[in-house]
Each structure stands twice: as structure tokens, then as C-alpha cells.
Amino acid sequence: MDKIVIEDFSIEYSDGTESLRHINLHIPANQLTVLFGPAGGGKSTLLRSINRLNDLADVKSTKGQILFDGINILDKKVDVINLRRKVGMVFARPVVLPFSIRRNLTYGFELAGVRDAVLIEESVERSLVQSALWDEVKDRLDEPAISLSGGQQQRLCLARSLIQQPEVILLDEPTSGLDPISTLKVENSLQDLKQDYTIVLVPHSVQQAARTADTAAFFLQGELIEVGIGAELFTNPTESRTQRYIEGRYG
């Protein structure tokens, strides 16, 4: 079953840059879909389009549809705030709030006026367990979030997204600045999380893409070149351009 269906989607910026051209892609529910390829291929633009962050950019035109559970999220009638509750996003550089570890997670509840202390505490623990951070911070929740290591801050950002219980998690190179141990922890967390969430990942390397992908999609200069089952695409791609990129011959 597909959670997101992208149909003939194109986006052009006001400076004339056409970032994506005629993208057709099915993103299955409860799988980890990887978007990979050289820089500038449009991968991050597609992630931002899926939760309407491109609304904040200088976009000249968009064409096509992005269907989320059958609803075109590009429709002007769509409640963007509600959409972003369902479609969380984690960026390459962790940005923690200038609060404690706990309040980084509970701040959204504060803004929403939630006062149920038991619910809040259960949600804090659940999100930290899901992001593989609980054991490292359970006795430090009132310490400043900035005191965490880079890898821990990135997992806190993941927990901050998870605490809202979204349906989809978008990750834009979430381990690009992390050491191998922290990277492995994040990757292992994602394999567990896909049981409950649909995950779309832009990896920081071909190796990470091959390790993590259930479905893989290769992007090159704004075009979707090839889509396939991860284990098959990285060992036997059908497109020569995909093969060259996987072998490190360009990009």
C-alpha cells in the first residue's frame, strides 16, 4: 500500500532554476524509501515539497500532484499546519531549542495547551526510546540540550519529531555530521521505526543508501532516473547512469 504518490510533479524557482521535472514516484507505507544521487539532483527539494516547506521558498510554479493518503497536499485548501503534524522532518544539522532536554520535547505540548502530565511524560520516554536516546539521557532530562554530543542532539531532533506521532518521517542527510557509532544508532533506529512509520531518507552516501533502503530512487539533475527494490537496485541497476554513480564514476 502506498502512503505517498507523486504524480508528474515539477517545480521551478523564480530564478529560472527548474529543480524537478515530471517526477512519478510511489512511496510505500511502513518502508524506508531512499532518495539518492549527486548534489543538486532535487532530492531535498522533493522532501521539502512533501511537507510544503517549499511554500517558504521563492517558487515560480509547481505542476502535478503529491498525494498523501489520496489527498493532494499541494491543494491550497490543505491545512499545512496539520499536514506538518503528520509529516515530520529532520534536517542534516541538528537544531536544538535553548531549553532542557525534556522541554525540547514538551515545548510542542506547551504551545498546544496540553496539561496531562502523565501523557506528557509517557510521550517523552516513548520518543526517546524510539530514537535510541533514552538510556543515555534518562537521568539528564533537566540538563541543557546543548550539552549533548552532536549525535545525541541529532537523535533528540528525531525524538522531537516522533513525539508528535507523525505518520511520515522525512530525513535530509541526518547523519552527515555524525561519527560511525552515532550513525549506526540512527540507522538501527530507522529500521525499528518503519514498523510504525513511513520513512523517506536522503542519505549522506551511497553506502548508507545501500544499507538502509527498502525502496531506492536515483535522482540526477532534477530527473528521477530509476526506482527499484533497494537490494536489487544497488547490485543490478537497469540504467547505466545509476550504475556509474553507484560505482563512483561521477557525482
Side-chain angles (χ1 to χ4, degrees):
M1 179 179 175
D2 295 321
K3 187 68 175 176
I4 299 170
V5 178
I6 299 163
E7 296 182 338
D8 200 28
F9 178 67
S10 300
I11 183 168
E12 183 178 359
Y13 293 104
S14 297
D15 62 2
T17 304
E18 190 172 30
S19 181
L20 289 168
R21 296 186 294 280
H22 305 294
I23 305 300
N24 290 282
L25 178 64
H26 290 237
I27 297 174
N30 299 108
Q31 286 194 22
L32 200 159
T33 298
V34 163
L35 315 179
F36 75 104
K43 308 178 298 295
S44 295
T45 293
L46 184 58
L47 281 193
R48 291 171 177 270
S49 298
I50 291 172
N51 77 341
R52 295 277 297 269
L53 277 177
N54 274 327
D55 288 10
L56 308 175
D58 195 8
V59 173
K60 179 180 179 181
S61 66
T62 59
K63 299 176 182 176
Q65 297 188 112
I66 299 177
L67 303 175
F68 175 76
D69 286 340
I71 296 172
N72 181 19
I73 66 163
L74 302 180
D75 192 311
K76 296 186 184 300
K77 298 177 182 177
V78 167
D79 183 336
V80 177
I81 294 175
N82 186 51
L83 172 69
R84 290 177 185 154
R85 289 194 188 103
K86 296 179 179 180
V87 183
M89 188 156 182
V90 179
F91 298 95
R93 180 176 295 179
V95 179
V96 297
L97 303 174
F99 307 136
S100 67
I101 296 167
R102 186 196 310 275
R103 197 173 177 216
N104 261 263
L105 298 171
T106 62
Y107 189 59
F109 288 127
E110 291 180 33
L111 294 179
V114 177
R115 297 287 182 265
D116 186 332
V118 173
L119 170 66
I120 291 172
E121 287 306 304
E122 288 178 347
S123 298
V124 166
E125 181 173 349
R126 173 185 50 78
S127 65
L128 289 171
V129 168
Q130 289 179 322
S131 60
L133 190 56
W134 173 251
D135 288 341
E136 297 171 39
V137 304
K138 61 184 177 182
D139 299 320
R140 306 172 53 192
L141 293 178
D142 294 318
E143 293 182 14
I146 197 68
S147 67
L148 297 173
S149 70
Q152 290 172 326
Q153 288 185 31
Q154 187 62 287
R155 282 178 282 148
L156 179 61
C157 291
L158 177 57
R160 198 167 63 205
S161 176
L162 291 170
I163 201 167
Q164 300 298 327
Q165 293 190 294
E167 298 174 30
V168 176
I169 308 168
L170 310 174
L171 302 112
D172 194 358
E173 299 191 20
T175 63
S176 60
L178 304 187
D179 61 83
I181 294 175
S182 295
T183 295
L184 182 61
K185 287 181 178 179
V186 171
E187 289 180 7
N188 288 341
S189 294
L190 297 181
Q191 294 302 324
D192 292 334
L193 289 170
K194 71 184 182 185
Q195 309 304 318
D196 299 308
Y197 304 93
T198 299
I199 301 174
V200 187
L201 167 69
V202 173
H204 76 267
S205 68
V206 174
Q207 292 76 18
Q208 183 176 61
R211 285 195 302 269
T212 58
D214 295 313
T215 299
F218 176 56
F219 285 77
L220 181 65
Q221 297 178 335
E223 295 183 10
L224 175 55
I225 305 302
E226 182 173 359
V227 183
I229 297 170
E232 296 176 2
L233 189 145
F234 289 103
T235 56
N236 189 30
T238 60
E239 278 276 347
S240 60
R241 289 171 290 181
T242 311
Q243 182 78 45
R244 290 198 298 272
Y245 182 72
I246 290 172
E247 293 177 350
R249 287 190 274 158
Y250 68 80

